[in-house]
Amino acid sequence: MEKPEVTLSKPETLDDLIKTLRKKFEKAPVNVDDLMKTMEAYKSKEEEWEKFINFYTSGYTRNRVYEEKGKFELLVLCWSANYKSDIHTHPGLHCFMKLLQGKLEEKRFECRGPSKPKSLDPSHPAGMVQTSQNVLKKNQCTYITDSIGLHRVENLSEMKGAVSLHLYCPLSQACQTLTSAKDTAAP
């Protein structure tokens, strides 16, 4: 007699989160709202992810927690004090970000106006407009994909690093950055 399948309704540990995600990715297509709820349900415990912490003095590090070939990857990102990413895309993938420690701000942008590029080409940053900003609290999640816009993430602390958990699906590809784009006020 086979054991009944156990469904994890709320991932209590990082291992539970991985098991739950693996189960969800067995079926295609994956429901974005369901993945968001799963990421939000996991309440982080530092002892579970501290082994993935690796800070640079400036910038950020991407530290792999788990990869399910061809389906998703889970990363811990460590943000140096006062570090701000470039405005960037996530071509062809979904990005879920959960704050584990510290204080991160996400600013979202879109391309507008007559100079709007036909593709999100870093050589054409004109027409970038900030559409929103959100300061994340511990265990809060956010989601972005190119159909929503581009974004920038910033560690607001001048003294302490910040740590976030990222779920990319399908597997993370190289993002395009818009390094020369200037922040403009939200409309």
Side-chain angles (χ1 to χ4, degrees), residues 26-163:
E26 285 177 358
K27 300 173 185 171
V30 179
N31 182 298
V32 169
D33 293 331
D34 189 39
L35 289 176
M36 186 67 158
K37 288 176 186 172
T38 300
M39 290 292 286
E40 288 172 338
Y42 167 65
K43 302 303 179 210
S44 75
K45 300 171 192 80
E46 186 173 352
E47 61 272 9
E48 293 180 342
W49 46 263
E50 67 185 351
K51 64 184 172 189
F52 301 104
I53 293 177
N54 179 29
F55 281 98
Y56 288 152
T57 53
S58 178
Y60 72 97
T61 61
R62 297 167 49 95
N63 309 287
R64 182 171 288 133
V65 174
Y66 182 82
E67 179 183 334
E68 186 75 14
K69 294 285 185 197
K71 296 184 179 182
F72 73 91
E73 71 179 331
L74 203 56
L75 302 170
V76 166
L77 273 63
C78 299
W79 304 84
S80 298
N82 211 32
Y83 178 75
K84 176 182 359 180
S85 75
D86 291 328
I87 298 170
H88 61 279
T89 67
H90 290 281
L93 59 88
H94 302 278
C95 171
F96 300 84
M97 179 173 72
K98 180 181 189 78
L99 182 63
L100 302 178
Q101 175 183 294
K103 193 172 185 181
L104 292 176
E105 177 181 60
E106 178 193 38
K107 291 182 180 178
R108 292 186 178 183
F109 300 84
E110 65 181 37
C111 298
R112 290 191 184 161
S115 59
K116 181 178 177 177
K118 291 181 180 170
S119 66
L120 299 175
D121 182 346
S123 64
H124 299 285
M128 294 300 301
V129 177
Q130 181 182 326
T131 58
S132 67
Q133 69 184 64
N134 180 31
V135 177
L136 296 172
K137 297 175 184 150
K138 184 177 179 179
N139 285 312
Q140 187 178 0
C141 294
T142 187
Y143 166 78
I144 192 144
T145 189
D146 282 356
S147 64
I148 294 172
L150 299 84
H151 75 162
R152 160 183 284 158
V153 178
E154 180 178 357
N155 181 356
L156 296 176
S157 173
E158 294 183 18
M159 303 296 289
K160 295 182 180 179
V163 181

